[in-house]
């Protein structure tokens, strides 16, 4: 019997490891973009390159304003893990058309739109996220979110 993890579990473990670099005070998220069983790019949620993150700024603004999870992303100082992974692929000149993205948490609506336009055709997540618009947008685009079994 093969005791190695499945490819989905293997790449999700990589996304979980990537999430440990997150500087977000509310939720640590990691993303890994994979094409033909090769990692193309990784990303975690945190402040833009070279800028202070929330802990250095005295805390999370969304937390201070009691903004519920999944809402008012424009108030967040950080980029999301999916955004950073897509940006990293672009910076490195790597096509992600037809790729799979592994994300520790289901993408929000903003990230869902970016995933669709980037040509990613499969999304694998470990945990859900309270964003109904994201679910609707992904369904309309024909992208199914695969939830890994625990």
């Amino acid at each position: 019997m093969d005791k190695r993890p499945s490819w989905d579990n293997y790449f999700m473990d990589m996304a979980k490891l990537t999430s440990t670099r997150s500087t977000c005070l509310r939720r640590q998220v990691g993303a890994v973009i994979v094409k033909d069983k090769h990692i193309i790019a990784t990303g975690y949620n945190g402040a833009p390159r070279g800028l202070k993150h929330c802990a250095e700024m005295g805390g999370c603004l969304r937390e201070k304003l009691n903004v519920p999870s999944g809402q008012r992303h424009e108030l967040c100082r950080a980029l999301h893990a999916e955004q950073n992974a897509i940006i990293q692929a672009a910076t490195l000149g790597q096509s992600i058309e037809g790729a799979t993205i592994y994300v520790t948490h289901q993408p929000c609506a903003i990230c869902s739109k970016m995933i669709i336009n980037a040509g990613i055709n499969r999304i694998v997540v470990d945990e859900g996220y309270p964003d109904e618009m994201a679910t609707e947008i992904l369904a309309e685009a024909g992208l199914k979110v695969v939830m890994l079994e625990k």
Side-chain angles (χ1 to χ4, degrees):
M1 187 164 123
D2 193 358
K3 294 188 182 220
R4 297 184 309 163
S6 69
W7 285 110
D8 282 347
N9 285 308
Y10 174 75
F11 290 121
M12 185 57 71
D13 286 347
M14 297 286 193
K16 289 176 184 175
L17 178 62
T18 302
S19 77
T20 65
R21 291 284 307 152
S22 171
T23 58
C24 183
L25 301 173
R26 287 183 99 172
R27 175 178 284 127
Q28 288 67 51
V29 180
V32 175
I33 299 175
V34 175
K35 194 170 181 181
D36 300 323
K37 296 182 183 164
H38 293 281
I39 295 173
I40 303 298
T42 64
Y44 54 86
N45 54 334
R49 188 185 324 189
L51 300 185
K52 292 179 181 179
H53 52 80
C54 293
E56 298 169 318
M57 300 289 294
C60 172
L61 177 60
R62 292 176 70 230
E63 195 76 18
K64 289 176 184 174
L65 297 174
N66 294 314
V67 175
S69 182
Q71 297 179 18
R72 303 293 314 269
H73 294 287
E74 74 278 5
L75 297 176
C76 182
R77 184 166 182 82
L79 286 117
H80 287 185
E82 304 93 321
Q83 295 167 346
N84 276 325
I86 291 168
I87 291 165
Q88 184 183 75
T91 300
L92 297 173
Q94 296 291 314
S95 171
I96 54 177
E97 185 89 29
T100 296
I101 188 165
Y102 293 85
V103 193
T104 56
H105 297 74
Q106 184 171 327
C108 71
I110 295 167
C111 290
S112 295
K113 291 183 273 188
M114 290 180 70
I115 287 167
I116 292 164
N117 274 7
I120 292 171
N121 64 12
R122 186 166 180 259
I123 303 167
V124 180
V125 301
D126 192 53
E127 293 184 36
Y129 188 71
D131 191 331
E132 288 181 34
M133 179 180 266
T135 304
E136 292 169 8
I137 288 170
L138 291 169
E140 183 179 344
L143 279 171
K144 183 177 181 237
V145 175
V146 176
M147 181 79 67
L148 278 186
E149 292 189 25
K150 305 254 178 189

